[in-house]
């Protein structure tokens, strides 16, 4: 029961806003098709893993949701840096975070 609630909260406060934010970033950046495809592949492979982790580790899910919501934690840290598809997504997130800090 607690695992289901943690996974639901993680999806509500991290995954859903992250999907919306990534769509905005990709549209605004006029990203090449390859970057868009790689980002989608990363999300398709990593999001289920993250939701499973949130269900298995409710404390991690809550801490991560709070960290990302408050800006203490960058969403890029959630994705596998060794995966080439996720490297593109991590780069996009890092670039957008740098732009937001400048503006």
């Amino acid at each position: 029961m607690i695992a289901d609630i943690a996974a639901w909260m993680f999806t509500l406060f991290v995954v859903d806003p992250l999907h919306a934010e990534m769509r905005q970033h990709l549209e605004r950046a006029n990203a090449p098709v390859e970057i868009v495809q790689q980002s989608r592949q990363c999300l398709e492979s990593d999001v289920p893993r993250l939701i499973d982790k949130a269900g298995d580790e409710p404390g991690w899910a809550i801490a991560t949701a709070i960290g990302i919501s408050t800006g203490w934690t960058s969403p890029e840290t959630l994705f596998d840096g060794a995966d080439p598809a996720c490297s593109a997504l991590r780069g996009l997130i890092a670039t957008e975070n740098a732009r937001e800090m400048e503006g």
Side-chain angles (χ1 to χ4, degrees):
M1 176 86 160
I2 291 175
D4 293 336
I5 293 170
W8 175 78
M9 287 181 62
F10 186 79
T11 301
L12 182 66
F13 291 106
V14 177
V15 174
D16 290 345
L18 186 59
H19 271 146
E21 186 177 335
M22 294 316 329
R23 278 193 299 273
Q24 288 176 342
H25 291 326
L26 290 168
E27 289 171 7
R28 194 174 22 206
N30 284 332
V33 173
E34 181 179 344
I35 298 294
V36 173
Q37 289 174 339
Q38 288 177 338
S39 297
R40 285 185 181 150
Q41 288 172 349
C42 177
L43 290 172
E44 288 171 2
S45 66
D46 275 19
V47 166
R49 176 187 59 82
L50 292 170
I51 292 171
D52 287 345
K53 183 174 181 177
D56 294 340
E57 300 176 36
W60 173 85
I62 293 167
T64 301
I66 291 170
I68 289 175
S69 297
T70 60
W72 292 337
T73 304
S74 173
E76 75 183 90
T77 61
L78 296 174
F79 301 104
D80 183 5
D83 182 343
C86 290
S87 294
L89 181 60
R90 288 171 56 103
L92 180 65
I93 294 169
T95 300
E96 286 300 320
N97 285 343
R99 284 186 194 151
E100 289 174 5
M101 292 177 91
E102 291 174 359

